[in-house]
């Protein structure tokens, strides 16, 4: 059913570069390639996980999609309208339907405002409802996220990390959005609290039917909450598939290496850990050809110079790697297990 519906969100060839000025007169200009030509779509009531190491561009992608930062290129269609072509007024109107939950529930809430004012603020900004209606709406929304009416008059410092994230969720929820982008929404929380917040997010999606883009470096969080997963490396999406398919049958060498690092909670089972060599290259000067080639244990000659094209291997499982070029049926060769030293390093 999902595949036949018009997507809620379509991101097409999105690019975001940040200029860096160097030299005495700051004349020399280089660019950080934060997001480089990413394309994906998101259906209604669907969750897409964006996963990758720190600095791979996933948070920049989220902020650019919401127009919180200006794009360098590409298009973002939300409910069929190109967000980047809208005027300020239309963009503001659209923002009611596109909300964000930030990583840090401690730093994201204004310490001088009561919870009531924090959660009410989006209604005031969009001039929605009279004072008494807004208060009732705040009360209802706090209840939905598991907070009490008496919490309304308290300040953020009086709450635990999990409660603060509930306040953030209530603030995102109060306008009735169709899309919520969560930027590492649980990474600042204890593991036990993470599970509560993730369960709450799943329940709210079932109740209200909105869509999520969840940005995280945590493969466990992404697996739990996402219907589909996009793996990012150095500003590019290298693999995209349904969650079960991606975790059972990863194709891209980077995805395989990431998943090989996830511990299995069974001491009788051993997994071959793949240790990637070297650091993530600088996004100021990304490698030619396949950006992963300096670290790829499967590297071919062509990988140094030619950028791989993304191919759909069936059932929406897309991968960007020369091993899977169109018409190719070869499979990745097995890699020798990591040495003892490498295991310690990893
Ligand atoms: Fe490795 Fe080449 Fe595939 Fe890039 S294109 S992931 S370097 S095999």
């Amino acid at each position: 059913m999902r595949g036949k519906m018009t997507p809620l969100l379509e991101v097409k060839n999105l690019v975001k570069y940040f200029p860096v000025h160097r030299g005495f007169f700051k004349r020399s200009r280089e660019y950080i390639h934060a997001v480089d030509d990413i394309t994906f779509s998101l259906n209604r009531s669907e969750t897409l996980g964006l996963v990758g190491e720190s600095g791979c561009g996933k948070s920049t992608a989220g902020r650019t999609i919401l127009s919180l930062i200006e794009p360098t290129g590409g298009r973002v269609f939300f409910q069929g309208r190109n967000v980047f072509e809208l005027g300020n007024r239309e963009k503001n109107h659209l923002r009611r339907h596109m909300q964000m939950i930030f990583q840090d529930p401690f730093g994201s809430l204004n310490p001088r405002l009561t919870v009531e004012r924090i959660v009410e603020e989006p209604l005031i900004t969009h001039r929605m409802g009279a004072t008494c209606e807004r208060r009732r709406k705040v009360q209802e929304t706090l209840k939905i996220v598991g907070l009490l009416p008496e919490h309304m008059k308290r300040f953020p410092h009086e709450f635990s990390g999990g409660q603060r994230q509930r306040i953030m969720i209530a603030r995102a929820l109060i306008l009735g959005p169709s899309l919520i982008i969560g930027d590492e929404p649980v990474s600042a929380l204890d593991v036990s609290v993470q599970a509560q917040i993730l369960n709450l997010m799943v329940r709210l999606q079932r109740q209200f039917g909105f869509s999520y883009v969840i940005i995280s470096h945590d493969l466990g969080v992404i697996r739990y909450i996402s219907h589909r997963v996009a793996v990012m490396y150095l500003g590019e999406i290298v693999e995209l598939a349904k969650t079960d398919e991606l975790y059972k049958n990863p194709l891209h060498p980077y995805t395989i290496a990431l998943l090989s690092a996830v511990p299995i909670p069974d001491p009788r089972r051993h997994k071959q850990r793949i240790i990637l060599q070297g650091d993530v290259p600088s996004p100021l000067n990304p490698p030619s050809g396949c950006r992963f080639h300096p670290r790829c244990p499967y590297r071919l000659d062509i990988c140094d110079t030619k950028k791989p094209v993304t191919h759909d291997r069936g059932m929406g499982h897309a991968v960007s790697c020369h091993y899977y070029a169109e018409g190719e049926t070869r499979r990745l060769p097995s890699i020798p297990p990591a040495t003892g030293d490498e295991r310690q390093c990893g």
Side-chain angles (χ1 to χ4, degrees):
M1 283 296 285
R2 264 195 184 125
K4 289 177 186 164
M5 289 192 293
T6 312
L8 176 75
L9 177 76
E10 285 180 279
V11 176
K12 295 189 173 177
N13 310 106
L14 185 66
V15 177
K16 178 63 192 176
Y17 294 166
F18 293 102
V20 177
H21 300 277
R22 287 177 190 261
F24 189 69
F25 294 108
K26 300 195 184 300
R27 279 192 187 139
S28 140
R29 188 184 270 203
E30 291 176 296
Y31 292 91
I32 293 174
H33 297 229
V35 175
D36 218 344
D37 198 10
I38 67 167
T39 295
F40 65 85
S41 63
L42 178 72
N43 293 317
R44 286 160 208 275
S45 305
E46 187 188 31
T47 301
L48 178 82
L50 266 187
V51 70
E53 291 164 290
S54 299
C56 71
K58 51 194 190 306
S59 294
T60 304
R63 284 169 164 77
T64 314
I65 289 165
L66 287 186
S67 278
L68 298 177
I69 47 180
E70 286 292 313
T72 305
R75 290 170 297 164
V76 169
F77 293 91
F78 180 73
Q79 295 176 333
R81 302 172 78 195
N82 187 346
V83 175
F84 300 151
E85 286 179 353
L86 299 177
N88 285 343
R89 209 166 151 185
E90 287 169 300
K91 228 178 238 179
N92 271 346
H93 181 74
L94 209 67
R95 284 215 178 99
R96 278 173 50 185
H97 305 285
M98 304 166 85
Q99 293 291 311
M100 187 144 192
I101 302 171
F102 293 97
Q103 174 178 2
D104 179 11
F106 297 91
S108 315
L109 299 174
N110 188 332
R112 293 192 191 87
L113 299 183
T114 62
V115 169
E116 178 178 5
R117 186 62 212 278
I118 289 169
V119 177
E120 183 190 24
E121 204 166 43
L123 295 175
I124 297 172
T125 305
H126 291 278
R127 299 199 177 99
M128 293 172 73
T131 308
C132 57
E133 289 168 329
R134 291 201 300 266
R135 178 163 299 159
R136 201 171 54 242
K137 184 77 180 162
V138 170
Q139 269 184 8
E140 278 171 21
T141 312
L142 289 178
K143 194 171 164 200
I144 287 167
V145 301
L147 293 170
L148 303 169
E150 55 260 39
H151 289 145
M152 284 174 62
K153 296 296 170 202
R154 296 193 192 161
F155 290 88
H157 72 270
E158 298 176 65
F159 293 90
S160 66
Q163 285 174 318
R164 288 187 206 206
Q165 200 55 296
R166 286 174 195 267
I167 297 168
M168 291 282 294
I169 292 170
R171 190 183 149 96
L173 208 61
I174 199 156
L175 292 172
S178 311
L179 169 67
I180 295 180
I181 297 187
D183 187 2
E184 301 275 6
V186 294
S187 64
L189 306 175
D190 293 339
V191 174
S192 58
V193 182
Q194 282 188 4
Q196 291 171 16
I197 297 297
L198 288 174
N199 285 338
L200 171 68
M201 290 173 69
V202 171
R203 177 172 65 74
L204 292 174
Q205 185 180 49
R206 288 197 188 124
Q207 192 173 343
F208 297 104
F210 51 74
S211 308
Y212 284 122
V213 174
I214 299 296
I215 295 161
S216 179
H217 67 281
D218 187 326
L219 287 154
V221 166
I222 288 292
R223 183 175 201 170
Y224 182 77
I225 203 164
S226 309
H227 298 111
R228 287 187 300 139
V229 179
V231 181
M232 282 190 75
Y233 183 79
L234 261 186
E236 298 177 334
I237 290 179
V238 295
E239 186 163 6
L240 195 154
K242 286 183 183 162
T243 306
D244 282 351
E245 165 68 8
L246 187 104
Y247 281 76
K248 274 189 208 143
N249 182 30
L251 297 177
H252 195 280
Y254 178 61
T255 315
I256 293 170
L258 280 184
L259 290 178
S260 80
V262 177
I264 305 173
D266 182 349
R268 291 163 300 180
R269 287 178 61 199
H270 293 282
K271 190 159 60 168
Q272 182 177 298
R273 172 98 192 257
I274 299 169
I275 309 289
L276 293 177
Q277 302 301 313
D279 295 323
V280 180
S282 166
L284 254 183
N285 189 17
S288 59
C290 171
R291 290 189 177 178
F292 189 55
H293 85 253
R295 304 173 78 198
C296 181
Y298 303 99
R299 173 181 174 179
L300 306 164
D301 288 343
I302 192 177
C303 302
D304 302 14
T305 51
K306 191 166 176 203
K307 191 177 159 79
V309 177
T310 303
H311 286 291
D312 192 328
R313 306 282 293 178
M315 304 289 288
H317 192 159
V319 62
S320 180
C321 171
H322 286 304
Y323 254 96
Y324 307 101
E326 198 156 30
E328 286 287 356
T329 52
R330 65 186 160 201
R331 301 184 68 82
L332 289 175
S334 64
I335 292 188
T339 65
D341 287 349
E342 283 172 333
R343 280 194 201 107
Q344 279 172 19
C345 293

